[in-house]
Structures are given as C-alpha cells and as structure tokens.
Amino acid sequence: MSFDGPSLSLRILKAVLAIVIVSFLLSAAYISSLVVERQEALKQVSRYNTSWLASQAVSEFTRLEQRLSAYAVPDGGIDPGEVQLRFDILVNRAKLLNDGEFQDFVSRDPERQETVRLLREALAAAQPLVDRIEEPGNAMKALALLQPLETKVTALASAANHYGAQRVTEDQHELIRLHWLFSSLAAGLIVCGFILLGLLGWHNRLLTRAHHDLRFLAENLQRTSDELKKANKALGNAYAELQHQNGVLQIQEIELRTQNERFNAALNNMSHGLCMVDATGHIIVFNERFAQLFDLESSVRPGTTLNELIAYAEARGREGAAALRQICAEQQELIRERRQATFIQGQPGGRTIAVSHQPMSDGGWVATYEDITERRQAESQIAYMAHHDALTDLANRVLFREQMERALAQSGRSETQVAVLCLDLDRFKDVNDSLGHETGDALLKVVAHRLRSCVREEDVVARLGGDEFAVLQTSVHEPHDCAVLAMRIVEALGAPYDIDGQEIVIGTSVGIALAAEGNPTPDQLLKHADLALYRAKSVGRGTFRFFEPEMDAQLQARRMLEVDLRKALANGEFELFYQPQVDIRRKAITGYEALLRWRHPERGIVSPAEFIPVAEDIGLISPLGEWVVHEACREASGWPAPLKVAVNLSPVQFRNRNLVQCVKQALEESGLCPSRLELEITESVLLQDNDTTLATLHQLRKLGLRIAMDDFGTGYSSLSYLRSFPFDKIKIDQSFVQGLSSRADCLAIVQSIAGLGASLGMSTVAEGVETEDQLVQLRAAGCTEAQGYYFGRPRPARDLTHSLEDFGPVRAAE
Ligand SMILES: Nc1nc2c(ncn2[C@@H]2O[C@H](COP(=O)(O)O[C@H]3[C@@H](O)[C@H](n4cnc5c(=O)[nH]c(N)nc54)O[C@@H]3COP(=O)(O)O)[C@@H](O)[C@H]2O)c(=O)[nH]1
C-alpha cells in the first residue's frame, strides 16, 4: 500500500487551508479598516456638513438683519443684548467658514472666497456699530453694511448646499461601493467558509482514511509481530532442539569413540583369535591373538588376502601358519556354501583349535579361533571329577546312577539281574569327631580300597557321600549272590584298621535291592536299598537285609507323620508331662524333667522317641523346642521354690543362633528364677561344631541356669566331654541302671560315674529306676538323685502335687 497520495493531498490541503485562513483574516482586517474609515467620514459629514454651515451662516445673517431692522424701529421691542448675541453668533459662524472642509469648499471658487472675505469685512465693520447699538442710527448703519451681502451669502449657502448634496451623493456611492465590496467579501468569506468546511471534511476524510489505514497497518503490524513472535519462538525451539541434537550427537560421538576404543581393546584382549575377510578374500581385520595363534605378522598392508598372509609366513618358516592353512582348507567349503559352522581341529603337536565360522551379509566372513587344548584337558578332568569321588576315587552318585541305568538296560536283555547294595559305616562319625577329619578321610580311603577288593571288575563301587557307599552288582543269578557279597563286605569292613598307627574298629550294615521285578528305575532301586539298610541297622549292626515291599509302606507312614507333625504345633496338639527327680538320701522331689507328648487326633499319644527325630529331620525341632522351653518355664514358675524343671535340648537346636535369646526370653516372660531351670543335653551336642556349641553353653550358663549331661556313658568318648564343659549334673543312662542286677560292669560303670561326679562337684542322677533294689544299689554306688517309674511316670502339670507319696498309688496301679 502507498501513502504518497494521502500525504501529498494532506500537504496541499494544509497549504490551501492556510491560504484560505490568511485570506479570511486579511479580508476581515480590510473590511474593519474600511468600516472604520467610513464611520469617520460619516461622522464628519454629520458634524461639519458644508451645506449645514452655510445654511447656519445664512440663517444667522438673516436673523441679525431682522434684529437690526427691528431695533432700528422705535419700540421694536428688541433688546440691544439680543442684537449683540446674534451678531456674536454670526461672527462665530463666519469663523467656521474659514475652517476644515468648508475652507476646502470655499477655496474651490474665487467667488466664494470673495463672499467670505466680504462677509468678514462687513462684520468687522459692523462690530463697532453693534457694540454701540444704542446709539441711534448705528443699527441702520450696521444694517446697511450687511444688506449688500445678503444675496452673496444666500448664493454661498446655496452653493454650499449643492456641494453638500454632491458630497452626500459621493458618500452614498462610496457606501454602495463599500456595501458591494463588503458583501462580496462576506460572500467570499462565506464561500471560503464553505470551502474551509469542505476542506475540513476532506481533511477529516483523509484523516479517517489515514487513521483507518493506520489501524489496518497497526493490525497488520500486530499480526506480523505475532507471526514474528511465533516464528521467533519456533526458531528458539528449533535452536534448542538443534542444541539438544548437537549435545546428543556429541555424546554419541564420544560413545562411538569410546566404543571404538573398547572394540579395539576388546578385539585385542580377546582370548579368541578373530579374522574378518571380505567377499573378495581380502583381510578386513584380525586381532593380536589371531596373529599369535598362527605365528603371523601382527599387521598387514590393506588388500592382502589370507592366502598371501599364510604364504608369507610359511616362506619365513613359521610353523603356526601351516595350522592356519589346514583350517582354511576346511573353511573353504563353508565359505563357498555361505554356511555358519563350528568345528574343532586337532593339530599334529597335540594342539586343538576350535573354529567358529560365520558368513557375513556382504559376502565376506568372520571366524573366531580358540586354542582349546587346555580346556579340553580340563574338561576331561572335570568330567572325571564330576563322576568320581575326589577322596576315594570311587564313582560318585552321578556316575553310579548312569552305570545303574546302563546295567538295568542291559539286564533286560540278559538272563542275569542287577542288584544295588547300600551301606554306611557304624561309628564312623565318632571316629571323625574324636580322631579328626584327616583320620576319618584316611579311613574312608581304606574302606574304598577294601570295598573294591570285594567286588568283581564289572561291578561298580561308589561313594554316595559321607560314610555312605553303594555297590552295583551285575550278573546276579540269584539273591544268594548278593547275600554272599554283603557278607564279604561286612566282614572286610569290620576287620580292624591301622590308620597312622591307630587301630580303629568300625563296622557296617548292608541293605540290598534286587532289580528282579517291576523294572525299577535307578532312583527306586537306590531308595529300596536304602530302606533295606535302614532296616538292617535297626535290627542290629554288622548285618544285611534285602528290601521288602513293607519297607516302602513304612516310608509312606513316615511321610504321613511328617505331614501331621508340621500341623501339630499350630493345632496345639503338644503338651508337657513331668517326671519327678528325687534326692535319694532325703527321699524328696528336687524337680521334674519335662517330657514332650504329642496328642495326635487319631493316633493318640505319640512317643517323642518317634517324632523328635522326624522333627529334627524336617527342621521343626527349633520352633517345637522353643515352645517346650517357654511352656516348661511358665508352668514351673507356678511350683513352690526351689523345685526345678529340666528341659531336654536337641543337638539340632544348638545350630539355631536364637537358642540363648529364646531361653532368656522364656525366663523373663515366666519370671522363673534361672537357677530353677536345668537344660539337659546329650553328648551328641558336643560332637557338632565344638567351639560354637561350647560358646553357646557358656552363654546359657551365664544366664544363671544349670546344664546337665544326659544319657551319660552311651557315647564314644563320654569322659572327654566332661572335660570340655563344667556340667552341673550327670545323668547316668538308664541302660546301666537296668543292667545293675544282671551285669557286673553296669554296677562298676555306675559307681565310677558317681565317683567321677562327686570328685568333679557334679550331682549324679540315675535314670530309669524301676525297682527298690536298683535304688538301693544306686544309693550304695554314691548317686545323689534318681528318676524312674519307681517314683512315678511322667504326668501332666495339673496332676502334680509335689509330694512323692502321691506318685505311689500311680506306681502301684501300673
Ligand atoms: N529334644 C527333646 N527330647 C525330648 C523331649 N521330651 C522327651 N524327649 C526325649 O524323647 C525320648 C523319649 O522320651 P520319653 O518317651 O518321654 O521317655 C522318657 C521317660 O518316659 C523314660 N523313662 C523314665 N523313667 C523310666 C523308667 O523307669 N523306665 C523306662 N523304661 N523308661 C523311663 O525315659 C525317657 C527320658 O529319658 P531322658 O530324656 O534321657 O531322661 C527321650 O530321649 C527324651 O529325652 C523334649 O521336649 N525335647
């Protein structure tokens, strides 16, 4: 859009407006001056009118003549003063004839000048006469002086009148001219006004248009500004995005560089050799390990082929290159068929190289080369170790199972059968714990040797773990063959051992499972042999048993027991019975042993001898033991002091780190004085991790309670345990008490334990006292306390009266 037009028009308009306004002002000023001038002229015409002056003079001249005439007549009634007044007026009028415009009128004509002069002279001549008018004749004389002038004065007046009329006409003309001039000017001014109004309108329109244009322009500008802002913002965003992209690119570049460095580092630190070749057979890259593996130059010119590289190395007598040539020959087929493959190539020097060949999409290929010589050796070593027991070099469970599978498969095709014999060593744990693991290991090696010597070449001997062994007997014609082998094994392993100069006697029991019927799996066969072993051990050591199907039923029963046992604690099926411990001399109850009872909903009371080992096996003994301690403390806290309560602790509970805390909490919660709590442990507690167990015992002792050694005399080295911890009490195992009447050695043992206790400051409790006779012997042997059915069977807490007499009727009733 162009703004020249309006701005030019506006400029012109302003100029025209200025001219009009100036003209307007000038015209007004001019008219004002004309009006002033004409007003002045009119004023003069009215005040000093020539014809009026002349007529006044004529009028006064005539009046004077009349007065003079009247005065001259006697009794004319005229006062001399009046004559004098008229004369003076005429003189004044005559003077005016010589002034101003009249003089101008007079000067135009000599006749008029003559008349005025004559009048002046006549008046001058008449002056003295008038002054002495009373004198007779003066009035006539004066009149005579004036009368000649009468015509002349009248003529002058007439001329003056004519002149005056002329001047009026002239003024009228002038006024008419002025009227027209004024009217024209006024019309001009009106026109100018209209023009001005028009111009102003136009100006206004121009201004409106300019305003409109300006607004449009402003809107355009605003729009443009908004667009610019938007564009600016978009530009800012684009810039920020650009900066972000730039940052990302920089990071990517750094990452790329790092990756490249890592790639190079990885490439050259690879344990595998790597070689990449393009579609034309030229080497793209290979790493240092590749060069090392095949004794090659570590760098090559770009464009070298693998064959050229090998030829170059061979020419320099490098032996490794020959190996690569062989490998390359094998790779040729893969390269041709563009196939991925992994192959292993043995080298003449015993070296083994594993090659992984991979074609690439561009027609080339990449391959990795690994020297697996050592790995192969290690693998075969590992494979051997994975199948053999490291200590005895016998087959382990894995190999044994594999061999069983193989033997079972073969036996299906032959007349003979396969049998599995499972055995473990009696008292091996005691040897291990008392004589040390090294001795135990040495013993196991000799056992393995003896076992091998018992079987034929084709049979397999395995160590399944710890002191568990198994024999896979093949070519069994009848069960008797197995029995013979079992006997041979029992006899061989039962013979004394000489380990580092120490004579050790152990024994073994054997369980036999024959794969005669039902196509058993290896696991089933092993399980059957294990069950048979369990049975062999339960009937007496140093013997063997064949598997019988009822054994499986016993296993099922045990599983049922486990299931029920897991629910029993939550169901509140446990309770504690208490059996009194009696001071032999005073015949008074010193306390009670808490004995756990399981009131099974279907089976009734289940003996702890049955379920405690199961609870130990399935990990339930800790929560169960905690419940016993809490319950015993709670109930004992209601008994009269100083009655004590003795609680049995399983060896498994000592593996639980919370044992001390649990006992402490039970004492605190029940408020039972710690000295009234006695914990009974068996020797087997001291067999496990001795230092930790002893530390736990000391911590328990610190709580202020008492510790008793239970079932004393049944362990392998009971006496040595007495040295390891200062027990408060020794409980003589009931087997010795019950043998008192029949076996002399039992009495000797009881006497020596009682003596030992006395000398160590420990009280001795004899368990399982059932008769008066036993009690008498125990007292004589020096035992301090006794416990057994003789005094009373275990009872629920609610039935305790703490009087020994009350137990009597119970005993009598039994
Ligand atoms: N870890 C835990 N073990 C416990 C707990 N409660 C019991 N037991 C142990 O279970 C085993 C069997 O106990 P139980 O069937 O209660 O037998 C005890 C007595 O009833 C029995 N006894 C007592 N007097 C006589 C007797 O004159 N003749 C005879 N034939 N038996 C008798 O002896 C068992 C007590 O033995 P002991 O503990 O060695 O004093 C048993 O080993 C219990 O220890 C428990 O809460 N935790």
Side-chain angles (χ1 to χ4, degrees):
M1 155 173 207
S2 165
F3 296 98
D4 287 355
S7 71
L8 185 65
S9 310
L10 215 61
R11 273 204 300 276
I12 294 169
L13 181 66
K14 279 182 181 167
V16 173
L17 264 175
I19 292 166
V20 168
I21 288 166
V22 168
S23 314
F24 206 89
L25 289 174
L26 287 175
S27 302
Y30 181 53
I31 287 173
S32 297
S33 74
L34 282 178
V35 167
V36 170
E37 188 190 320
R38 277 308 100 196
Q39 275 179 348
E40 200 58 39
L42 281 172
K43 220 188 286 170
Q44 279 178 12
V45 166
S46 60
R47 278 168 51 193
Y48 304 108
N49 189 295
T50 312
S51 63
W52 180 78
L53 276 175
S55 69
Q56 285 292 309
V58 170
S59 168
E60 288 304 318
F61 189 83
T62 308
R63 276 189 201 128
L64 184 58
E65 278 181 324
Q66 280 175 343
R67 297 304 181 269
L68 283 173
S69 301
Y71 193 77
V73 175
D75 297 324
I78 295 297
D79 187 44
E82 190 181 342
V83 176
Q84 189 68 45
L85 176 66
R86 285 294 150 196
F87 183 78
D88 289 342
I89 291 171
L90 182 63
V91 170
N92 279 329
R93 293 283 186 254
K95 276 182 191 169
L96 287 172
L97 301 178
N98 286 322
D99 276 346
E101 197 186 4
F102 206 89
Q103 193 181 20
D104 182 42
F105 161 71
V106 170
S107 63
R108 288 175 186 233
D109 185 13
E111 198 178 341
R112 292 172 202 161
Q113 289 173 2
E114 183 60 17
T115 305
V116 172
R117 188 184 55 79
L118 288 174
L119 181 60
R120 228 177 10 243
E121 282 173 4
L123 286 174
Q127 181 73 54
L129 294 171
V130 171
D131 288 341
R132 291 182 314 272
I133 197 77
E134 293 92 5
E135 290 177 16
N138 279 357
M140 285 310 288
K141 284 179 205 171
L143 190 59
L145 284 171
L146 292 173
Q147 270 178 338
L149 291 172
E150 195 175 310
T151 313
K152 286 192 181 278
V153 170
T154 305
L156 182 66
S158 167
N161 204 22
H162 178 71
Y163 175 75
Q166 244 183 346
R167 288 291 304 269
V168 166
T169 308
E170 274 174 26
D171 281 347
Q172 274 175 347
H173 284 303
E174 183 62 17
L175 275 172
I176 288 165
R177 192 183 63 79
L178 280 174
H179 168 77
W180 284 113
L181 184 63
F182 190 81
S183 297
S184 307
L185 279 171
L189 281 175
I190 288 165
V191 170
C192 280
F194 277 117
I195 292 171
L196 201 59
L197 281 173
L199 285 173
L200 280 172
W202 185 34
H203 183 251
N204 205 24
R205 213 170 51 248
L206 282 177
L207 276 175
T208 309
R209 211 164 75 200
H211 178 70
H212 181 263
D213 289 348
L214 270 174
R215 207 168 58 197
F216 180 70
L217 189 68
E219 281 171 8
N220 271 351
L221 270 173
Q222 183 62 44
R223 221 176 4 258
T224 313
S225 163
D226 288 349
E227 278 166 11
L228 270 172
K229 266 188 204 163
K230 269 189 206 156
N232 199 21
K233 199 173 166 189
L235 212 64
N237 288 345
Y239 180 69
E241 177 62 16
L242 212 65
Q243 281 206 323
H244 173 70
Q245 294 292 343
N246 195 26
V248 169
L249 275 176
Q250 277 178 351
I251 291 168
Q252 280 177 350
E253 193 194 326
I254 292 167
E255 278 174 0
L256 209 65
R257 209 179 308 134
T258 315
Q259 260 179 10
N260 268 343
E261 284 165 7
R262 282 184 192 149
F263 176 72
N264 279 338
L267 201 65
N268 288 324
N269 284 296
M270 274 173 71
S271 56
H272 294 33
L274 179 140
C275 182
M276 196 182 276
V277 174
D278 67 15
T280 58
H282 294 103
I283 297 169
I284 298 171
V285 69
F286 64 75
N287 66 358
E288 283 171 15
R289 179 65 184 144
F290 179 77
Q292 269 173 14
L293 264 180
F294 301 112
D295 208 8
L296 304 169
E297 295 295 314
S298 57
S299 62
V300 290
R301 273 183 294 109
T304 307
T305 66
L306 196 54
N307 279 336
E308 286 167 357
L309 185 69
I310 296 167
Y312 182 82
E314 280 176 337
R316 273 153 190 76
R318 300 198 173 160
E319 288 172 7
L324 182 57
R325 185 172 286 288
Q326 275 182 14
I327 291 169
C328 279
E330 222 167 292
Q331 276 182 274
Q332 284 315 305
E333 195 182 323
L334 301 175
I335 296 167
R336 250 194 331 276
E337 295 173 4
R338 300 193 41 68
R339 210 158 36 84
Q340 185 273 335
T342 301
F343 61 89
I344 291 170
Q345 208 192 49
Q347 307 268 305
R351 207 160 67 134
T352 311
I353 305 280
V355 182
S356 174
H357 178 93
Q358 179 76 45
M360 292 193 299
S361 55
D362 64 357
W365 54 268
V366 60
T368 57
Y369 305 81
E370 188 186 7
D371 186 341
I372 57 165
T373 316
E374 280 179 19
R375 198 176 77 197
R376 287 224 124 180
Q377 287 164 357
E379 274 172 4
S380 49
Q381 178 71 22
I382 288 167
Y384 183 83
M385 284 165 67
H387 289 87
H388 290 84
D389 171 48
L391 180 70
T392 59
D393 215 21
L394 294 175
N396 64 8
R397 192 180 284 272
V398 178
L399 180 59
F400 190 70
R401 213 175 161 283
E402 285 173 10
Q403 298 284 8
M404 277 166 74
E405 269 172 8
R406 204 169 296 137
L408 284 169
Q410 279 171 5
S411 74
R413 297 190 291 271
S414 72
E415 293 294 304
T416 56
Q417 294 173 22
V418 171
V420 170
L421 289 79
C422 273
L423 53 127
D424 65 11
L425 308 178
D426 301 333
R427 294 182 174 270
F428 173 74
K429 195 164 166 35
D430 294 345
V431 174
N432 217 4
D433 291 336
S434 57
L435 302 177
H437 288 270
E438 282 182 12
T439 308
D441 287 351
L443 179 64
L444 287 172
K445 283 185 187 172
V446 181
V447 168
H449 181 72
R450 290 187 186 180
L451 271 174
R452 252 196 234 107
S453 62
C454 288
V455 301
R456 288 167 305 170
E457 190 65 30
E458 61 269 30
D459 296 338
V460 181
V461 180
R463 181 176 171 222
L464 303 182
D467 63 342
E468 284 178 63
F469 293 86
V471 175
L472 176 65
Q473 189 181 9
T474 53
S475 308
V476 177
H477 295 104
E478 52 178 346
H480 178 71
D481 296 344
C482 303
V484 170
L485 176 59
M487 293 282 282
R488 202 162 52 238
I489 289 173
V490 169
E491 199 179 328
L493 300 194
Y497 297 80
D498 181 0
I499 307 291
D500 295 334
Q502 287 191 83
E503 188 182 272
I504 297 174
V505 179
I506 55 166
T508 187
S509 308
V510 182
I512 307 164
L514 258 167
E517 294 166 359
N519 290 329
T521 62
D523 288 338
Q524 281 170 333
L525 206 56
L526 255 179
K527 194 181 90 180
H528 291 168
D530 216 34
L531 284 171
L533 171 64
Y534 186 70
R535 173 60 60 85
K537 279 160 65 172
S538 65
V539 293
R541 305 189 179 237
T543 184
F544 66 91
R545 280 289 179 278
F546 280 93
F547 168 75
E548 291 160 17
E550 315 85 74
M551 292 177 184
D552 213 13
Q554 284 162 4
L555 188 71
Q556 296 303 327
R558 152 114 188 186
R559 294 236 169 90
M560 294 280 289
L561 189 74
E562 283 178 17
V563 172
D564 291 347
L565 197 55
R566 284 185 204 280
K567 293 184 285 189
L569 191 58
N571 289 347
E573 292 168 12
F574 292 107
E575 59 186 284
L576 288 180
F577 277 34
Y578 296 91
Q579 187 177 36
Q581 294 179 336
V582 178
D583 183 318
I584 293 178
R585 283 195 186 78
R586 290 192 295 118
K587 285 213 169 170
I589 298 173
T590 56
Y592 300 88
E593 180 180 4
L595 295 161
L596 187 60
R597 296 291 179 265
W598 177 14
R599 204 175 286 278
H600 191 281
E602 288 149 20
R603 297 169 57 185
I605 296 280
V606 183
S607 163
E610 194 180 338
F611 70 80
I612 291 261
V614 182
E616 286 174 343
D617 283 355
I618 64 174
L620 200 75
I621 193 68
S622 286
L624 187 56
E626 279 184 23
W627 180 85
V628 170
V629 175
H630 275 83
E631 186 67 2
C633 288
R634 189 183 66 78
E635 286 183 326
S637 66
W639 302 339
L643 289 179
K644 299 186 185 64
V645 65
V647 175
N648 290 284
L649 291 184
S650 153
V652 182
Q653 282 177 267
F654 277 80
R655 290 180 211 143
N656 187 339
R657 293 176 190 279
N658 286 337
L659 178 62
V660 178
Q661 183 57 30
C662 159
V663 174
K664 195 173 168 219
Q665 200 181 351
L667 287 168
E668 282 169 1
E669 283 177 11
S670 63
L672 182 73
C673 176
S675 61
R676 292 175 61 196
L677 175 64
E678 201 164 75
L679 299 179
E680 294 188 5
I681 64 159
T682 54
E683 292 172 23
S684 50
V685 168
L686 292 165
L687 288 177
Q688 57 194 23
D689 191 1
N690 221 291
D691 291 343
T692 316
T693 307
L694 284 174
T696 307
L697 282 172
H698 282 289
Q699 283 173 30
L700 288 168
R701 166 67 74 68
K702 262 193 184 167
L703 296 178
L705 45 81
R706 291 158 58 85
I707 311 275
M709 164 71 88
D710 201 1
D711 300 338
F712 190 77
T714 53
Y716 187 68
S717 51
S718 300
L719 286 177
S720 68
Y721 296 132
L722 279 189
R723 275 210 316 267
S724 60
F725 186 80
F727 290 93
D728 298 288
K729 189 187 259 188
I730 304 171
K731 289 188 81 176
I732 304 167
D733 190 69
Q734 53 183 276
S735 59
F736 301 115
V737 176
Q738 277 150 18
L740 280 176
S741 52
S742 52
R743 291 171 55 180
D745 57 339
C746 286
L747 180 60
I749 289 170
V750 169
Q751 283 172 338
S752 59
I753 295 172
L756 193 69
S759 58
L760 290 173
M762 303 173 186
S763 52
T764 42
V765 187
E767 291 184 278
V769 181
E770 293 182 356
T771 62
E772 176 83 42
D773 192 33
Q774 287 167 349
L775 183 64
V776 170
Q777 286 188 326
L778 289 167
R779 189 188 293 127
C783 287
T784 54
E785 287 176 54
Q787 177 184 349
Y789 294 165
Y790 177 74
F791 301 105
R793 285 179 181 268
R795 288 182 184 184
R798 60 182 173 274
D799 296 342
L800 300 181
T801 59
H802 314 303
S803 158
L804 203 51
E805 302 309 312
D806 287 342
F807 279 92
V810 177
R811 197 176 67 240
E814 286 161 359

